[in-house]
Amino acid sequence: MIDSTTLRSKRRIAALLFVITMASGSAVPARSDDAATGVIRRFYDGMIAVMRSGQATRARFDQLKPVMMRTFDVPVMAQRVLGSHWSTLSPEARKRFQAAYADFIVATYASKLDTYSGERFDVDPSTQPQGNGTLVYTKIVDGDGVGHAVNYIVGRDGKVFDTYFDGTISDVAARRSEFTGLLQRSGPDQLIQSLTDRTRKLLER
């Protein structure tokens, strides 16, 4: 029988994986890149600090936002997530979407990183060149010692522009389908308002 402590640990690791929503690459690591792995190590250190703080969701959001803005290339991600539709937005709409998208990402993490119970975040020192960036391999290890692959592409500017989980599809690609569908149906104002509303609801938890 699985005891309550084990169940809580499994729920926590499941929440972390849900938040990240990524896909892992299948290439074999070919080299070491201390700069790229350092970006992810610092991000994980920041995540653990937030989890250990035990604060309410809004406070976790405020604590986590500067960490994530240092780690993720939100301007590039915002453009990539809308694909060819980015060019249809006015400069003002692009700025508003980028800001709403950034807050939504941070709020999604903050709403889930509520406690820390010894989960381990392992960063592989070996990396793989990938397009204009470096693929960094990591694992989130749960309380039972089971590792879950979570990989990041770190750009040449030292910021993450896509994330991958368990060999499925990229986070940017997954969100592109959702966001561009709403953009086509209802326009940029509705897309931005939808993100704002979702962020507000996440912070109310």
Side-chain angles (χ1 to χ4, degrees):
M1 180 178 293
I2 300 175
D3 61 27
S4 60
T5 300
T6 301
L7 285 173
R8 284 195 298 271
S9 177
K10 287 181 177 295
R11 291 191 185 105
R12 274 190 290 269
I13 200 69
L16 287 173
L17 295 174
F18 171 78
V19 166
I20 297 172
T21 320
M22 310 170 199
S24 67
S26 58
V28 176
R31 63 186 176 91
S32 176
D33 190 324
D34 291 340
T37 57
V39 170
I40 305 307
R41 291 182 194 279
R42 288 188 292 274
F43 173 53
Y44 279 164
D45 286 345
M47 284 178 61
I48 291 171
V50 171
M51 294 168 72
R52 282 177 168 161
S53 71
Q55 299 184 81
T57 305
R58 180 74 219 197
R60 294 198 303 271
F61 174 91
D62 292 337
Q63 187 179 358
L64 191 59
K65 186 169 184 178
V67 175
M68 294 191 67
M69 294 305 98
R70 288 194 300 268
T71 303
F72 292 89
D73 196 340
V74 174
V76 169
M77 293 170 65
Q79 182 171 350
R80 286 166 60 90
V81 82
L82 292 185
S84 61
H85 297 282
W86 178 259
S87 63
T88 68
L89 271 62
S90 69
E92 186 268 342
R94 291 176 185 177
K95 289 180 181 178
R96 289 170 53 224
F97 173 74
Q98 180 179 311
Y101 180 50
D103 283 350
F104 173 67
I105 294 171
V106 178
T108 302
Y109 276 76
S111 68
K112 300 294 182 181
L113 302 180
D114 55 347
T115 59
Y116 177 73
S117 297
E119 292 86 358
R120 199 170 78 239
F121 298 79
D122 293 342
V123 180
D124 193 327
S126 298
T127 61
Q128 178 75 26
Q130 178 117 346
N132 293 325
T134 299
L135 183 63
V136 178
Y137 299 85
T138 85
K139 285 184 180 179
I140 298 177
V141 182
D142 64 24
D144 293 329
V146 179
H148 306 265
V150 179
N151 304 327
Y152 304 80
I153 301 181
V154 180
R156 293 171 182 169
D157 62 351
K159 288 193 171 187
V160 173
F161 63 84
D162 207 352
T163 326
Y164 293 80
F165 171 67
D166 278 353
T168 54
I169 60 174
S170 79
D171 180 55
V172 166
R175 295 194 185 278
R176 181 183 301 133
S177 176
E178 175 189 0
F179 291 171
T180 58
L182 180 56
L183 180 64
Q184 288 177 305
R185 290 192 304 272
S186 305
D189 288 344
Q190 186 58 44
L191 172 60
I192 294 165
Q193 186 60 53
S194 174
L195 285 176
T196 301
D197 291 344
R198 290 167 69 179
T199 296
R200 175 178 48 78
K201 290 178 181 178
L202 288 168
L203 295 179
E204 289 173 351
R205 293 182 178 179

